[in-house]
Amino acid sequence: MMEKQFVIGLIITLPLIVFWLWMAWDLGGDDDMSGSEKFYWLLAFLFLNVFAAVYYYVYVYRRRH
């Protein structure tokens, strides 16, 4: 029973971590943003984690790509 919960937790958690890292990597490489904008986004990524990454994806990443 415990192994099943662990596997389900990994199935949910790993894609979220990969998505967060992908958006953080994109944020670091975004040359259109000023340094202060990047700093504020970085704070959001650190404190709000995946929620900030989803917001960044919807309102910044998708408009740029």
Side-chain angles (χ1 to χ4, degrees), residues 17-34:
I17 291 171
V18 169
F19 176 73
W20 185 86
L21 288 170
W22 174 34
M23 290 297 105
W25 185 266
D26 185 75
L27 172 66
D30 187 0
D31 295 330
D32 296 334
M33 265 189 211
S34 67

Side-chain angles (χ1 to χ4, degrees), residues 29-57:
D30 187 0
D31 295 330
D32 296 334
M33 265 189 211
S34 67
S36 62
E37 272 184 302
K38 282 186 181 183
F39 176 73
Y40 292 129
W41 272 111
L42 179 63
L43 287 178
F45 271 57
L46 291 175
F47 290 111
L48 300 174
N49 297 312
V50 176
F51 301 109
V54 169
Y55 190 85
Y56 178 85
Y57 176 78

